[in-house]
Amino acid sequence: MRRGRRPPVTETALLIAQIAVLLLLFGFVWAVVRSSSRTVARAAPPPLPLEDPVERSDTAAHPVPRRAPAPAQAPAPAAAPAPAVVAAAPLPASPPSPVTDPFAGRFAAPIPPEEPPDPVTDTGGNGRVRANISTADALAANITPRLVVENGPGRRAGEEITLGGGLTIGRSRSNDVHLDDTYVSHMHARILRRGAFYQVQDLGSTNGTFLNGQRIEAAQLRPRDELRMGETTLRYEE
């Protein structure tokens, strides 16, 4: 027995089948989207009301009473006129009674004036007496501030070095005062004039600058101060 042959599929039938499949697919997608929108709408919180219904109900149930207007106050009575003040006649001034000093006559002796302090009262660290005289007084009295050599290699004892406006001291010959001392640095120290006084400053020397036996960085000079640099000793005089 021979089977019958299937009729050929025409293009129209194929197009109708494709349209039917597309409609089914569109309907399925539409159903899914609609179901999702309903789920989201159910999960979203309800919108808040613009006005609080509780406050409106409370206000309607219990209205706020209006404050009654304050009664008008009566005008204050006029103040009574102040009584006139009659000025009293001034009393005659009584003559002042003499005041007696109970301590009169007890301190009849005059108090002697204070004696001026002794200008030579200060002593340095080496026990020498230092005069309390300023450089201005020394210059006014025609006294020349100077350094006096006491001892040192290459220097004569008693040699005087005038300070003038200041000078530098060291082993280098470029200094104002050259010291041929092995223990003295090339730029050892300097002496500056500060107003009415002279000041000695150490210039970072290796063995240091000593004033009256104490190592210093900077100090004011007074008469009879002793400066030691290495093996050289100088005395400040005015």
Side-chain angles (χ1 to χ4, degrees):
M1 184 176 180
R2 299 177 64 183
R3 296 181 179 179
R5 298 178 63 183
R6 294 181 179 179
V9 180
T10 62
E11 294 181 359
T12 304
L14 183 59
L15 182 60
I16 294 173
Q18 291 179 357
I19 293 175
V21 172
L22 291 176
L23 290 176
L24 291 176
L25 183 60
F26 179 76
F28 176 75
V29 173
W30 173 256
V32 172
V33 172
R34 188 174 183 181
S35 176
S36 301
S37 60
R38 289 180 180 179
T39 304
V40 173
R42 291 176 183 177
L48 298 176
L50 298 179
E51 298 181 358
D52 191 357
V54 178
E55 293 184 358
R56 294 184 61 183
S57 60
D58 292 345
T59 306
H62 305 284
V64 179
R66 296 185 178 179
R67 183 177 298 178
Q73 297 181 359
V85 179
V86 180
L91 299 176
S94 57
S97 58
V99 180
T100 57
D101 188 2
F103 299 98
R106 296 188 181 183
F107 303 100
I111 301 176
E114 296 182 359
E115 297 181 358
D118 188 1
V120 185
T121 55
D122 190 12
T123 58
N126 58 355
R128 298 190 176 190
V129 179
R130 304 169 65 183
N132 291 329
I133 180 174
S134 65
T135 304
D137 297 336
L139 295 176
N142 294 327
I143 301 176
T144 304
R146 62 196 181 278
L147 293 177
V148 181
V149 179
E150 292 190 349
N151 55 61
R155 286 286 179 175
R156 177 177 53 85
E159 179 184 356
E160 296 184 355
I161 303 171
T162 305
L163 296 180
L167 47 81
T168 58
I169 305 173
R171 188 154 48 94
S172 175
R173 294 188 178 275
S174 61
N175 293 283
D176 299 319
V177 179
H178 166 65
L179 298 179
D180 191 9
D181 192 331
T182 309
Y183 299 98
V184 174
S185 301
H186 289 278
M187 297 288 290
H188 197 99
R190 65 180 176 181
I191 297 178
L192 300 175
R193 182 174 177 179
R194 298 294 188 185
F197 302 94
Y198 280 96
Q199 186 181 35
V200 57
Q201 295 180 355
D202 185 82
L203 298 179
S205 61
T206 303
N207 297 318
T209 302
F210 293 83
L211 177 64
N212 299 327
Q214 297 181 357
R215 186 167 182 171
I216 54 95
E217 297 294 334
Q220 178 182 331
L221 289 175
R222 295 183 181 180
R224 298 184 181 275
D225 276 349
E226 186 179 87
L227 284 173
R228 182 170 61 83
M229 306 173 192
E231 295 180 345
T232 304
T233 304
L234 307 173
R235 186 179 71 254
Y236 175 73
E237 292 290 350
E238 292 183 349

